[in-house]
């Protein structure tokens, strides 16, 4: 069955892409250029009605939302590659907990930083300095909790790598790169060690090489 | 093993509470009064380091994030009550997709409406009319996609009730109640039929009766 992922160059999609590569799966890609607004084309809306990325097509099955795609891949191909969901119901609970922390606490301020610092200048928009300041504060508070958690466990959900860790990769790459706030990671000893470990995984290196940031 | 849920009166927690009741589980509750800022007390922060609600304690196991708690309950007690995760990997994928749509597209504008219309006056704050207008527009666009989806399927993830549907209950109760925008649901035929169906489930009626809105 052919696996096809839409918009692999953009950060949200890379949550799905890195999961496919961790699992050793072959896949095809279809580019969708957000900077040109292609996600609002009628052909794309027919595939993803919210006009968001990514979408995974697996034969005649279709799924969207990056973290849902991660879970689907990790569950369907559970027996190959690392088990990214934990081994027990309790471990999976912790994976789900930190996946949701990423989605609801870590990602929103980091997305605001990405849009205001990286994308606004590209699109001729003025960055909102108040939003930047508030987002950096919020993200810092979240990272303080991560620092405590990662002082007790090697990875977020425990002593095993999981989807919860991988979900952080794409936008944290913006944070330590074009956003220019690598110190938020580096100044926290356990967060920094965790970041080094997950961002040096072969699967993520392959994502970074094959699907460079679009800007 | 005793199950204990924190802050059952508040909307986010009710995602967990309704799941416990759907599964026919006995549980104890601990109140946390957000209006008094009790979620920032050191004793609570020791349990939930982000100072957010809810938390589920299951014997010596602890989990937070409302949608992660839902998944944990639905998986641990899969064989009792309705199977809220779907029966196959593909069905679960659709459940995960719509759970994530709720978390990332439906909830943020609805939370903004709740905070500005319901909570701001209570806390002596001025509602932000621009945020209210933009949030209503965004939520309306999301509901238009729901209308199309629910014209094809009885429930969000297919023709079976799932966590994806239940996750919508607590804040939609604000929308049709104290927010005063029931028309956003009623004016969309299939969304309205879906809302009637899920909000009339015995488990949700029990939540509404036993854990009335705190305001």
């Amino acid at each position: 069955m052919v696996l096809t992922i839409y918009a692999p160059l953009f950060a949200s999609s890379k949550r799905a892409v890195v999961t496919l590569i961790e699992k050793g799966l072959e896949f095809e890609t279809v580019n969708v250029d957000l900077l040109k607004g292609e996600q609002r084309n009628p052909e794309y809306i027919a595939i993803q009605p919210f006009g968001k990325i990514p979408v995974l097509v697996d034969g005649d099955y279709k799924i969207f939302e990056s973290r849902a795609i991660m879970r689907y891949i990790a569950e369907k191909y559970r027996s190959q590659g690392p088990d990214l969901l934990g081994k027990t119901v309790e471990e999976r609970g912790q994976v789900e907990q930190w996946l949701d922390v990423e989605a609801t606490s870590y990602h929103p301020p980091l997305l605001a930083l990405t849009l205001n610092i990286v994308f606004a200048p590209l699109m001729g928009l003025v960055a909102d300095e108040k939003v930047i300041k508030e987002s950096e504060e919020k993200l810092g508070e979240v990272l303080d909790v991560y620092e405590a958690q990662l002082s007790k466990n090697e990875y977020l959900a425990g002593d095993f790598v999981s989807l919860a860790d991988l979900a952080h990769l794409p936008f944290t790459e913006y944070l330590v790169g074009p956003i220019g706030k690598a110190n938020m990671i580096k100044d926290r000893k356990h967060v920094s060690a965790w970041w080094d470990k997950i961002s040096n995984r072969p699967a993520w290196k392959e994502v970074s090489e094959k699907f460079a940031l679009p800007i």
Side-chain angles (χ1 to χ4, degrees), chain A:
Chain A
M1 207 71 97
V2 178
L3 291 162
T4 305
I5 193 91
Y6 283 68
L9 300 180
F10 288 86
S12 295
S13 303
K14 290 181 183 177
R15 292 196 188 96
V17 174
V18 71
T19 310
L20 289 164
I21 297 176
E22 286 279 1
K23 289 295 190 177
L25 297 163
E26 302 271 325
F27 58 96
E28 297 177 354
T29 59
V30 177
N31 286 331
V32 182
D33 191 339
L34 304 190
L35 299 176
K36 291 184 182 161
E38 290 178 358
Q39 74 279 18
R40 291 188 294 273
N41 287 353
E43 314 87 75
Y44 188 73
I45 293 289
I47 297 169
Q48 213 294 7
F50 296 99
K52 292 187 172 184
I53 61 156
V55 174
L56 176 74
V57 176
D58 180 3
D60 57 4
Y61 182 75
K62 189 189 75 179
I63 179 168
F64 50 79
E65 284 290 331
S66 60
R67 300 168 193 88
I69 296 172
M70 296 181 90
R71 291 172 171 109
Y72 169 76
I73 297 166
E75 193 150 310
K76 180 163 178 183
Y77 302 96
R78 196 153 193 169
S79 60
Q80 68 187 79
D83 187 342
L84 299 167
L85 293 167
K87 295 199 188 313
T88 62
V89 172
E90 287 73 22
E91 284 185 357
R92 175 146 191 180
Q94 295 302 300
V95 174
E96 295 294 348
Q97 171 182 297
W98 289 100
L99 264 177
D100 280 1
V101 167
E102 187 273 329
T104 63
S105 292
Y106 185 87
H107 182 66
L110 180 48
L111 178 65
L113 291 175
T114 307
L115 293 177
N116 277 280
I117 297 176
V118 184
F119 284 89
L122 278 180
M123 304 171 82
L125 302 171
V126 178
D128 187 326
E129 292 299 333
K130 182 163 172 278
V131 168
I132 291 175
K133 185 168 177 290
E134 288 173 357
S135 300
E136 184 167 347
E137 281 172 12
K138 272 191 204 168
L139 186 61
E141 289 169 12
V142 172
L143 282 168
D144 286 342
V145 179
Y146 281 36
E147 179 66 6
Q149 172 69 3
L150 292 165
S151 73
K152 292 179 288 188
N153 301 280
E154 194 178 347
Y155 296 97
L156 284 171
D159 288 327
F160 58 98
V161 70
S162 75
L163 294 184
D165 305 297
L166 302 184
H168 288 77
L169 285 163
F171 280 90
T172 309
E173 188 179 43
Y174 275 116
L175 185 69
V176 303
I179 289 176
K181 293 188 188 291
N183 63 303
M184 294 188 74
I185 301 296
K186 302 297 170 199
D187 292 351
R188 291 173 171 91
K189 181 180 155 193
H190 297 98
V191 171
S192 185
W194 166 76
W195 171 250
D196 287 346
K197 211 155 27 193
I198 62 173
S199 62
N200 279 303
R201 290 179 71 82
W204 182 248
K205 285 178 167 287
E206 189 174 332
V207 174
S208 297
E209 282 160 25
K210 287 195 184 160
F211 305 99
L213 292 177
I215 53 158

